[in-house]
Amino acid sequence: MQFGVFTVGDVTVDPTTGREPTEHERIKAMVAIALKAEEVGLDVFATGEHHNPPFVPSSPTTMLGHIGARTERLLLSTATTLITTNDPVKIAEDYAMLQHLSDGRVDLMMGRGNTGPVYPWFGKDIRAGVPLAIENYDLLRRLWREDVVDWKGKYRTPLQSFTSTPRPLDGVPPFVWHGSIRSPEIAEQAAYYGDGFFANHIFWPKEHTQRMVGLYRERYAHYGHGSADQAIVGLGGQVFMRRNSQDAVREFRPYFDNAPVYGHGPSLEEFTRETPLTVGSPQQVIDRTLGFREYVGDYQRQLFLMDHAGLPLKTVLEQLDLLGEEVVPVLRKEFAALRPVHVPEAPPTHASLVAAAGGAKDSTVHAVDDVTGKAPEGATR
């Protein structure tokens, strides 16, 4: 099972000091969090994608490429890649490039995002959000799997004899998740293609997550990819820990109360009771996280949000120490002991996808000679 952290990259005032980090400081802090994640033995670092204040991660591949150059083992992922407002051609090329630079340590999560105004900023209509997600992803898959693409759709200009470059590393595209908080159409899309489904699992009661994951599992089996319990599921989550639970509640309360997303609403006690947010000791985080399995079944990836709401970097790094040293080792052992042998223990990786494809291949596409109209002898076109 994979464990890691994700960030939304918010620039938020620390309510205990009144200080707001600069964008530069926040970006550097996100890099430091990723490096710490590898140091403490986590598997995944994922960044969101936003194009509006108070968020800074507008270019996930730039950030992940930098982190990839400074790490050796960490899997680079996204908490959302906007499939609706990004051009599929650019996604195909950017993430294939990241694949090569990181030697395959990359997957990504498609999503529609939660910022309505982003659609017109990129020339799109929010009323076409779901159709855009469907059409754009279908094209993206073809761009990664076909050397030459002829395509015509509704929401972008046609393509004629187009080759996306670079081609995916070893001839294998990155593994894709489809992330959603509330849209059953996205769970259906993930199931149709046999991709992974990631439920954010932060803001809603467990019954909502249970319904969404249950729908995905049912449709995954319907489309013939395997049994329902073999579907590839990931969950988000948010925790704040101190060794003493009372200390955790006291320290986190001002950050919760002023958070840009859930602040100034239900109390911390109400929110932790009604949603998966866990504030307490490492053992409480272990017990709560193991309980997720009771309503979503065995799953393959757990990502935690650790740096939201103005928490200072020092505090976040302390949280990662607790997560890596005291929480994740226990979760790995317990989840592994409960998992049936026929259920995948982890999502597909580059190595496993290459093996399933029969081995790596040079996917380089060579240009056709303008005079002869032929590719170099032995070259792929």
Side-chain angles (χ1 to χ4, degrees):
M1 187 167 173
Q2 292 176 347
F3 294 91
V5 292
F6 73 99
T7 180
V8 296
D10 59 304
V11 179
T12 304
V13 173
D14 183 334
T16 68
T17 65
R19 185 180 185 280
E20 182 180 45
T22 65
E23 290 181 328
H24 179 75
E25 289 172 329
R26 188 67 174 98
I27 290 168
K28 291 291 189 177
M30 292 163 67
V31 174
I33 289 165
L35 300 182
K36 185 70 170 181
E38 177 165 275
E39 176 190 321
V40 301
L42 301 183
D43 305 301
V44 185
F45 173 83
T47 176
E49 179 186 344
H50 298 278
H51 299 275
N52 58 295
F55 305 101
V56 294
S58 58
S59 181
T61 51
T62 303
M63 170 166 282
L64 294 176
H66 177 74
I67 292 169
R70 300 185 61 184
T71 55
E72 297 179 356
R73 182 188 54 80
L74 192 67
L75 185 62
L76 313 169
S77 190
T78 57
T80 304
T81 296
L82 296 177
I83 188 61
T84 47
T85 52
N86 281 310
D87 183 67
V89 172
K90 196 71 171 87
I91 295 176
E93 295 183 336
D94 282 352
Y95 285 91
M97 178 67 78
L98 182 60
Q99 249 197 329
H100 284 272
L101 291 173
S102 65
D103 295 321
R105 290 186 291 132
V106 59
D107 63 22
L108 66 163
M109 186 194 308
M110 302 297 173
R112 291 186 294 136
N114 291 310
T115 306
V118 74
Y119 284 82
W121 294 341
F122 289 88
K124 306 298 180 183
D125 186 339
I126 192 173
R127 292 170 294 185
V130 171
L132 271 167
I134 293 170
E135 180 177 293
N136 283 356
Y137 183 59
D138 180 68
L139 173 56
L140 176 62
R141 285 180 61 88
R142 289 190 58 188
L143 291 167
W144 273 336
R145 288 165 172 81
E146 301 175 24
D147 288 342
V148 181
V149 173
D150 291 292
W151 178 91
K152 185 176 181 180
K154 182 177 180 180
Y155 297 105
R156 77 173 315 279
T157 54
L159 296 172
Q160 184 175 359
S161 300
F162 178 77
T163 298
S164 172
T165 61
R167 304 304 298 145
L169 177 65
D170 298 323
V172 174
F175 181 70
V176 168
W177 302 83
H178 299 260
S180 180
I181 296 176
R182 61 188 179 275
S183 302
E185 297 92 340
I186 302 305
E188 175 75 18
Q189 185 181 37
Y192 177 80
Y193 290 107
D195 295 336
F197 178 67
F198 190 91
N200 183 275
H201 203 224
I202 288 181
F203 305 117
W204 293 68
K206 64 181 183 181
E207 292 79 10
H208 174 76
T209 299
Q210 183 180 38
R211 288 192 296 269
M212 292 287 285
V213 173
L215 170 64
Y216 162 66
R217 290 188 183 280
E218 176 188 334
R219 301 301 289 171
Y220 182 95
H222 169 79
Y223 289 116
H225 301 298
S227 60
D229 59 356
Q230 292 176 318
I232 306 299
V233 173
L235 294 183
Q238 184 175 6
V239 299
F240 186 86
M241 295 174 284
R242 289 302 183 198
R243 296 190 185 282
N244 180 288
S245 60
Q246 289 80 9
D247 290 339
V249 171
R250 181 171 56 253
E251 184 176 348
F252 188 66
R253 187 181 299 279
Y255 295 97
F256 174 88
D257 289 345
N258 292 277
V261 175
Y262 44 62
H264 310 287
S267 69
L268 176 59
E269 285 74 18
E270 292 172 314
F271 207 83
T272 53
R273 183 175 62 249
E274 298 298 329
T275 79
L277 171 66
T278 307
V279 181
S281 67
Q283 187 60 51
Q284 286 174 305
V285 171
I286 291 169
D287 294 340
R288 190 80 179 277
T289 306
L290 287 173
F292 297 164
R293 179 182 179 273
E294 297 175 5
Y295 54 89
V296 302
D298 292 287
Y299 62 109
Q300 287 71 33
R301 175 177 288 183
Q302 174 68 57
L303 300 183
F304 295 102
L305 177 63
M306 311 291 288
D307 66 334
H308 184 50
L311 286 167
L313 177 60
K314 178 178 180 294
T315 300
V316 176
L317 298 181
E318 291 168 351
Q319 295 293 302
L320 288 172
D321 278 327
L322 289 171
L323 190 67
E325 294 170 8
E326 300 192 25
V327 175
V328 166
V330 177
L331 291 177
R332 288 192 198 281
K333 181 179 178 181
E334 294 295 328
F335 276 121
L338 294 167
R339 188 183 309 276
V341 294
H342 71 283
V343 173
E345 64 179 357
T349 62
H350 183 72
S352 69
L353 291 171
V354 168
K361 67 176 183 179
D362 178 11
S363 56
T364 305
V365 172
H366 298 269
V368 172
D369 186 275
D370 290 336
V371 177
T372 66
K374 298 180 180 180
E377 186 175 350
T380 303
R381 175 65 175 111

